[in-house]
């Protein structure tokens, strides 16, 4: 073989390697987005459950607010499905269940969370519409239903 032929083959393999690396990087970014959307979905579902429970406990109704949560959850699920489909049918999708404990032999340990620099109660998040106090991760105000 002559030098030019070897050089040409090397450049071809380098290009194939670069394309494969870029594809893997894009798949990794998509997997990270999927985990982020799964986290967002789990949070929204928990908030909807807490809202329904508090409304039922107080013998109250706020169907428009419940409907907003359901619509938002549907939107998150659609985004999640689109991301999964973008990986292709043969791709393995990493799922992340926030409530599930890892298996003992998985090598994953869960450290207890410690609140650092906890803000005083005076710095709690409030609804911009009605001023009601809301939790830090709330997506809608429980009093007036405004999107946060």
């Amino acid at each position: 073989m002559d030098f030019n032929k070897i050089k040409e083959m090397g450049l071809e393999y380098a290009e194939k390697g670069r394309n494969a690396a870029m594809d893997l990087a894009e798949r990794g970014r998509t997997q990270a987005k999927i985990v982020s959307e799964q986290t967002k979905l789990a949070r929204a579902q928990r908030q909807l459950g807490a809202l329904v429970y508090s409304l039922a406990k107080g013998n109250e109704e706020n169907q428009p607010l419940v409907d907003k949560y359901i619509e938002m959850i549907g939107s998150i699920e659609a985004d999640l499905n689109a991301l999964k489909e973008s990986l292709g049918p043969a791709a393995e999708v990493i799922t992340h269940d926030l409530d599930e404990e890892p298996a003992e032999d998985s090598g994953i340990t869960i450290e207890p969370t410690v609140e650092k620099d906890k803000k005083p109660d005076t710095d709690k998040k409030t609804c911009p519409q009605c001023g009601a106090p809301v939790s830090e991760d709330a997506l809608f105000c429980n009093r007036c239903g405004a999107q946060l």
Side-chain angles (χ1 to χ4, degrees):
M1 286 192 165
D2 66 359
F3 176 74
N4 287 335
K5 181 83 170 168
I6 294 171
K7 179 182 169 186
E8 188 177 301
M9 287 174 57
L11 289 173
E12 183 181 325
Y13 288 128
E15 180 67 20
K16 286 180 180 179
R18 184 178 79 74
N19 290 342
M22 289 177 64
D23 184 49
L24 283 173
E26 182 60 34
R27 286 180 176 277
R29 283 190 288 276
T30 302
Q31 287 280 11
K33 289 177 186 175
I34 287 171
V35 170
S36 174
E37 289 297 308
Q38 288 171 333
T39 302
K40 204 159 96 174
L41 178 63
R43 182 174 8 129
Q45 289 170 333
R46 280 194 309 272
Q47 289 177 354
L48 175 59
L51 172 64
V52 170
Y53 173 77
S54 67
L55 289 172
K57 188 175 180 182
N59 289 326
E60 299 176 32
E61 286 190 28
N62 192 342
Q63 194 59 43
L65 181 57
V66 171
D67 290 342
K68 281 184 183 180
Y69 268 95
I70 291 171
E71 181 181 318
M72 181 187 55
I73 287 170
S75 173
I76 295 169
E77 288 173 335
D79 293 345
L80 193 54
N81 288 333
L83 285 169
K84 287 178 182 178
E85 287 176 10
S86 73
L87 289 177
E92 179 183 342
V93 176
I94 297 171
T95 58
H96 179 64
D97 186 350
L98 296 176
D99 297 325
E100 183 178 290
E101 293 287 330
E104 285 185 31
D105 60 349
S106 68
I108 299 172
T109 57
I110 297 178
E111 298 294 326
T113 55
V114 177
E115 292 186 34
K116 295 179 182 175
D117 301 327
K118 185 177 178 183
K119 296 179 183 176
D121 287 346
T122 57
D123 290 343
K124 281 191 175 176
K125 185 175 173 182
T126 59
C127 173
Q129 295 292 327
C130 70
V134 293
S135 65
E136 285 296 318
D137 61 349
L139 302 172
F140 294 97
C141 174
N142 284 336
R143 182 183 291 166
C144 71
Q147 187 170 3
L148 304 174

